[in-house]
């Protein structure tokens, strides 16, 4: 077991390096980088200044504007800027160095978890990630746990009562829940319960109240879940349908196998067969989907929820960094997302072995 875990941890290093390398060169090749964005912001200033100079009688100002408009920079929109100013912008964002030097510096820094400083927020990327992480962890963790705690018992109940009224009506509710987008559920909850058209029962901003530090331990716990109630509910309603149907179909598939018939023939009760034999085999596919479900809830699924409920988490941070081409934040969030995903996959394999001791990953050849 220990040797297998060590091999998997060592395998994370080349995997992270490959993902980081591919994304580095793709992002560097994409247009609209930080230098171009800064030049675009300055371009409007240069144009307005040129208009003022064109209407002036000062010959020196006209000659100065003429000199600045002759920039031969390769950046789009830089023709109206002084080449020295463009060079200063490149140096500011580290683009005065060749591409390969920027790449190796990035790799060496990330090996030491040195993510640098944000281009626009005047903060270290590590500080930004630590600041935003509680929101994303809260949304992803509680949503995933609640979805699993609801979907697995519900899927088993549907499999046991396959074809009954309970199965038909619960399937209808599950399909409707799956058909409606998560963000629409979030908007409905805001309108109904967060000061919209009807009731003002739940807060609409932040993860905690302003007086959180003054509350007792019990008060802090209640305040924390009070703020999470609506966003987590929205994510749970829109996310448990797939897992419920997967659990049901997995159990139905196992129930029809020969070993179940043999176990019943030996005199075992239905519950003994269901939870002593079928459960372990049927749960393997459920556990296999846990990393993807967790990562989806943790990052991609929480972006719209963060926006609707004014929660400042990693999803919103990564989105804003991508739009603004804040490369240190983009690569920092990508690095953390990937690392958590790989560690979660390792945890999934360990859960495999706990559920079914017949599985031995340590005996596998890499």
């Amino acid at each position: 077991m220990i040797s297998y875990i060590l091999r998997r941890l060592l395998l994370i290093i080349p995997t992270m390096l490959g993902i980081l390398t591919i994304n580095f060169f793709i992002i560097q090749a994409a247009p609209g980088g930080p230098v171009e964005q800064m030049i675009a912001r300055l371009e409007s200033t240069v144009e307005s200044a040129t208009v003022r100079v064109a209407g002036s009688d000062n010959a020196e100002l006209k000659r100065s504007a003429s000199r600045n408009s002759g920039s031969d920079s390769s950046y789009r929109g830089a023709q109206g800027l002084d080449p020295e100013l463009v060079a200063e912008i490149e140096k500011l964002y580290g683009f005065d160095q060749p591409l390969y030097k920027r790449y190796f510096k990035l790799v060496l820094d990330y090996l030491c978890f040195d993510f640098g400083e944000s281009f626009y927020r005047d903060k270290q990327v590590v500080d930004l990630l630590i600041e935003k992480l509680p929101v994303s962890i809260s949304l992803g963790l509680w949503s995933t746990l609640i979805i699993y705690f609801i979907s697995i018992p519900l899927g088993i109940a549907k499999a046991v009562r396959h074809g009954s009224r309970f199965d038909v009506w619960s399937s209808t509710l599950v399909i409707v829940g799956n058909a409606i987008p998560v963000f629409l559920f979030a908007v409905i909850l805001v309108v109904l319960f967060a000061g919209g058209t009807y009731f003002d029962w739940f807060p609409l901003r932040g993860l905690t109240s302003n007086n959180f530090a003054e509350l007792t331990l019990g008060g802090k716990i209640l305040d924390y879940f009070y703020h999470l109630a609506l966003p987590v509910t929205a994510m749970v309603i829109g996310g448990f349908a797939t897992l419920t149907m997967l659990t049901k179909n997995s159990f139905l598939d196992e129930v029809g196998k020969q070993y179940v018939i043999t176990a019943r023939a030996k005199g075992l009760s239905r519950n003994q067969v269901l939870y002593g034999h079928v459960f372990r085999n049927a749960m393997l596919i459920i556990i296999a989907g846990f990393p993807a479900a967790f990562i989806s809830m943790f990052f991609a699924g929480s972006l719209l929820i963060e926006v609707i409920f004014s929660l400042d988490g990693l999803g919103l941070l990564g989105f804003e960094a991508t739009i603004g081409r804040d490369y240190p934040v983009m690569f920092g969030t990508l690095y953390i997302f990937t690392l958590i995903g790989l560690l979660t996959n390792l945890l999934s394999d360990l859960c495999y072995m706990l559920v079914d001791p017949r599985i031995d990953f340590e005996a596998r050849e890499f």
Side-chain angles (χ1 to χ4, degrees):
M1 173 72 75
I2 296 177
S3 61
Y4 170 73
I5 294 175
L6 290 176
R7 290 201 302 269
R8 286 292 301 270
L9 291 176
L10 290 175
L11 189 62
I12 287 177
I13 298 176
T15 305
M16 293 288 294
L17 180 62
I19 293 174
L20 193 63
T21 300
I22 293 173
N23 283 275
F24 175 83
F25 288 104
I26 290 177
I27 292 175
Q28 295 290 329
V35 176
E36 286 90 341
Q37 296 213 7
M38 177 61 74
I39 289 174
R41 284 193 287 268
L42 293 176
E43 184 182 17
S44 59
T45 305
V46 172
E47 288 177 352
S48 61
T50 303
V51 170
R52 290 196 300 270
V53 168
S56 172
D57 294 332
N58 191 321
E60 182 61 30
L61 288 176
K62 290 181 179 180
R63 285 193 297 271
S64 176
S66 176
R67 286 196 302 269
N68 291 341
S69 64
S71 173
D72 57 352
S73 174
S74 60
Y75 292 106
R76 182 182 301 176
Q79 286 72 21
L81 298 178
D82 191 334
E84 294 181 359
L85 177 59
V86 176
E88 290 180 5
I89 296 174
E90 289 180 330
K91 185 176 181 181
L92 176 64
Y93 295 121
F95 281 76
D96 57 329
Q97 299 293 326
L99 183 64
Y100 73 92
K101 287 187 177 180
R102 300 204 305 271
Y103 168 71
F104 285 115
K105 183 179 184 302
L106 179 77
V107 172
L108 293 176
D109 289 343
Y110 275 48
L111 287 176
C112 303
F113 284 87
D114 179 9
F115 302 143
E117 184 176 335
S118 170
F119 286 160
Y120 310 120
R121 295 174 181 261
D122 195 25
K123 280 187 178 182
Q124 293 292 321
V125 175
V126 173
D127 295 335
L128 283 172
L129 294 177
I130 293 174
E131 179 184 333
K132 313 297 183 184
L133 199 57
V135 172
S136 294
I137 289 180
S138 297
L139 292 175
L141 178 62
W142 293 116
S143 299
T144 305
L145 289 178
I146 293 174
I147 286 173
Y148 268 72
F149 284 143
I150 292 177
S151 299
I152 292 176
L154 180 59
I156 295 174
K158 287 173 63 61
V160 172
R161 299 171 177 83
H162 179 61
S164 65
R165 288 186 177 182
F166 170 79
D167 182 36
V168 173
W169 283 105
S170 59
S171 295
T172 303
L173 294 176
V174 165
I175 292 172
V176 171
N178 189 49
I180 301 177
V182 175
F183 72 89
L184 184 56
F185 274 122
V187 173
I188 293 173
L189 291 175
V190 169
V191 172
L192 292 177
F193 304 113
T197 307
Y198 297 96
F199 306 104
D200 190 7
W201 291 350
F202 293 93
L204 191 57
R205 182 178 299 276
L207 196 60
T208 57
S209 301
N210 294 330
N211 63 337
F212 183 78
E214 303 172 2
L215 300 175
T216 62
L217 178 59
K220 289 180 179 179
I221 295 175
L222 289 175
D223 182 75
Y224 170 72
F225 285 107
Y226 178 58
H227 283 76
L228 280 177
L230 292 187
V232 169
T233 300
M235 296 179 71
V236 167
I237 291 176
F240 77 96
T242 302
L243 185 60
T244 299
M245 299 307 296
L246 180 64
T247 303
K248 175 191 172 182
N249 293 333
S250 179
F251 269 79
L252 287 177
D253 182 60
E254 291 294 326
V255 166
K257 292 185 177 179
Q258 185 63 41
Y259 74 90
V260 175
I261 300 174
T262 303
R264 291 302 300 271
K266 289 181 177 180
L268 296 179
S269 66
R270 187 181 68 173
N271 288 338
Q272 287 177 321
V273 174
L274 185 62
Y275 298 105
H277 298 277
V278 175
F279 181 80
R280 289 189 301 178
N281 295 324
M283 284 301 296
L284 292 178
I285 191 172
I286 309 302
I287 294 175
F290 178 80
F294 178 72
I295 296 301
S296 176
M297 285 290 179
F298 194 16
F299 304 119
S302 64
L303 173 58
L304 292 175
I305 298 297
E306 290 177 12
V307 173
I308 293 172
F309 291 98
S310 300
L311 297 171
D312 196 4
L314 284 179
L316 185 59
L317 176 67
F319 175 75
E320 291 177 347
T322 303
I323 296 299
R325 297 297 194 274
D326 194 345
Y327 286 169
V329 177
M330 289 174 63
F331 288 121
T333 52
L334 172 68
Y335 190 85
I336 296 299
F337 292 176
T338 306
L339 181 61
I340 292 177
L342 294 173
L343 292 176
T344 306
N345 276 300
L346 175 58
L347 180 62
S348 175
D349 288 347
L350 298 179
C351 291
Y352 265 133
M353 289 185 282
L354 291 176
V355 173
D356 191 347
R358 296 172 299 176
I359 297 177
D360 185 11
F361 287 104
E362 194 168 2
R364 293 171 58 188
E365 296 293 334
F366 283 87

